[in-house]
């Protein structure tokens, strides 16, 4: 026995429901990159780390909006139903989750880009300055 096998895997129907639902909450760097490259991504990408970090390098096409500044008036210019994709520094940072909570509380659709800047760079993608 090991820590992996001490707890049995979920039944396949439960695993299917879990992993399918996951895509409703998050996306990955590769898919964001491909969508941005298409010219019509279908979402607004928000870098929620803060202006200093944004200025040092961000995902091309991302807008600078720190999670603390996500309030009704800052997103009012976007039509209802606009999908927001948020990211922060990486897996060690919870800023993207904080941003997602704020957007969801405002009734806005939101997904988190897993990996953040760290994941973006791990994929070999360049940052804009």
């Amino acid at each position: 026995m090991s820590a992996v096998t001490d707890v049995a895997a979920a039944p396949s129907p439960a695993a299917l429901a879990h992993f399918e639902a996951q895509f409703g909450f998050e996306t990955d760097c590769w898919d964001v990159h491909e969508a941005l490259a298409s010219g019509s991504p279908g979402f607004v990408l928000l870098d929620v780390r803060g202006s200093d970090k944004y200025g040092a390098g961000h995902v091309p096409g991302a807008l600078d909006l720190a999670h603390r500044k996500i309030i009704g008036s800052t997103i009012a210019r976007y039509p209802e139903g606009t999908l927001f994709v948020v990211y922060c520094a990486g897996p060690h940072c919870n800023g993207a989750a904080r941003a997602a909570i704020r957007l969801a509380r405002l009734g806005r659709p939101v997904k988190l880009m897993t990996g953040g800047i760290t994941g973006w760079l791990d994929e070999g993608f360049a940052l804009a300055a």
Side-chain angles (χ1 to χ4, degrees):
M1 294 298 280
S2 72
V4 173
T5 59
D6 282 347
V7 176
S12 294
L16 178 62
H18 171 82
F19 292 115
E20 283 182 339
Q22 190 172 343
F23 287 108
F25 300 102
E26 57 190 52
T27 187
D28 68 11
C29 298
W30 190 272
D31 290 345
V32 169
H33 181 268
E34 290 294 309
L36 291 171
S38 78
S40 296
F43 58 84
V44 174
L45 183 62
L46 299 179
D47 182 319
V48 301
R49 299 173 300 149
S51 295
D52 289 345
K53 291 180 181 176
Y54 178 87
H58 57 274
V59 173
L63 303 178
D64 176 21
L65 186 58
H67 65 84
R68 289 180 186 90
K69 295 180 180 177
I70 295 174
I71 57 175
S73 61
T74 61
I75 62 163
R77 65 181 169 194
Y78 300 100
E80 293 294 324
T82 298
L83 172 61
F84 293 90
V85 175
V86 296
Y87 72 88
C88 61
H92 58 283
C93 177
N94 66 10
R98 292 179 185 278
I101 288 169
R102 285 179 174 260
L103 287 161
R105 283 185 176 153
L106 292 169
R108 297 307 191 111
V110 59
K111 289 187 177 189
L112 187 144
M113 184 179 83
T114 58
I117 286 287
T118 302
W120 189 264
L121 293 171
D122 285 350
E123 292 287 355
F125 303 139
L127 297 178

